[in-house]
Amino acid sequence: MEEVLKIINPMTSTLFWSIIVFIILLVVIIKFVLKPVNKMLVKRQDEIQKSINSAEKQKEEALQYLEQQKTILEQARKQARDLIEESKVAANKIKSEIEEKANEKSRQILETALEEIRAERQRSITAAKNQIVDIALDAAQKLIGKTLSEEEHKKLIEESLKEVTKI
């Protein structure tokens, strides 16, 4: 049995020191490797979470900006429609004013033409009366065979004109 103990004994001491070295190595690894690695993992996890939060915040800001841009675009479209409508109203107003001025101008031209026609008619009537009087005087002189005095001419002309205007 001693022999067996001698054989086991050297193994026991090696086994004992192996366990001690393993425990020391385990403590060193836990203290110097696992704690820094764990801290590094926690730090990395925090950074990732911050990045995720930042990305979500940026996404929300982008969505808000998009909504603002949509609102601004809709306002611009509304302003454009309003401007077009105002332009149409202004154009119709200008068109109406032009038509009104043209109608007024044509009415004035028509009135002027009618006045000229009336004046020309009056001149024609007066000229016709004068010709009729001259013809009547010539015919009366031929019929009567004598020349009338100035007063008789005037009296005869006035009577003839009264008769012609009655017709």
Side-chain angles (χ1 to χ4, degrees):
M1 188 107 210
E2 262 182 56
E3 283 184 25
V4 172
L5 281 176
K6 281 184 180 178
I7 294 175
I8 292 180
N9 196 8
M11 290 184 161
T12 313
S13 95
T14 309
L15 184 63
F16 173 75
W17 287 110
S18 289
I19 291 175
I20 299 273
V21 169
F22 179 75
I23 292 174
I24 292 172
L25 185 64
L26 190 63
V27 168
V28 168
I29 288 176
I30 290 175
K31 183 158 182 121
F32 293 109
V33 175
L34 285 181
K35 283 185 180 180
V37 168
N38 193 21
K39 284 181 184 178
M40 188 172 56
L41 287 176
V42 169
K43 183 179 176 185
R44 180 67 181 147
Q45 187 179 15
D46 289 344
E47 288 175 2
I48 291 172
Q49 189 61 41
K50 285 180 184 178
S51 295
I52 291 172
N53 291 341
S54 175
E56 287 178 359
K57 184 178 178 182
Q58 288 176 349
K59 180 182 176 184
E60 289 175 10
E61 289 174 356
L63 289 174
Q64 288 176 350
Y65 181 74
L66 180 64
E67 288 300 318
Q68 288 174 347
Q69 293 303 314
K70 284 181 180 179
T71 304
I72 290 171
L73 181 62
E74 187 59 35
Q75 288 174 349
R77 285 181 181 159
K78 184 181 181 297
Q79 287 176 349
R81 285 190 300 267
D82 292 345
L83 185 61
I84 289 170
E85 191 62 34
E86 288 174 8
S87 298
K88 286 180 182 178
V89 169
N92 286 336
K93 184 179 178 183
I94 291 171
K95 177 186 170 193
S96 297
E97 289 175 0
I98 291 172
E99 287 175 349
E100 190 175 305
K101 287 179 182 178
N103 288 338
E104 179 65 24
K105 185 74 171 176
S106 65
R107 186 185 60 77
Q108 288 175 352
I109 291 171
L110 182 63
E111 286 178 7
T112 304
L114 287 175
E115 287 177 16
E116 289 177 7
I117 291 171
R118 286 185 197 119
E120 188 61 35
R121 180 175 173 231
Q122 191 61 37
R123 283 191 296 270
S124 297
I125 290 173
T126 304
K129 284 181 183 179
N130 288 337
Q131 284 179 349
I132 291 173
V133 168
D134 288 341
I135 293 171
L137 281 177
D138 287 341
Q141 281 178 355
K142 288 181 183 176
L143 286 175
I144 298 176
K146 65 176 185 173
T147 307
L148 299 173
S149 68
E150 189 69 30
E151 287 181 17
E152 290 175 339
H153 275 289
K154 285 184 183 180
K155 187 177 178 185
L156 188 59
I157 290 172
E158 288 176 7
E159 287 176 6
S160 297
L161 285 176
K162 286 181 185 176
E163 288 179 22
V164 170
T165 54
K166 288 181 185 176
I167 299 174

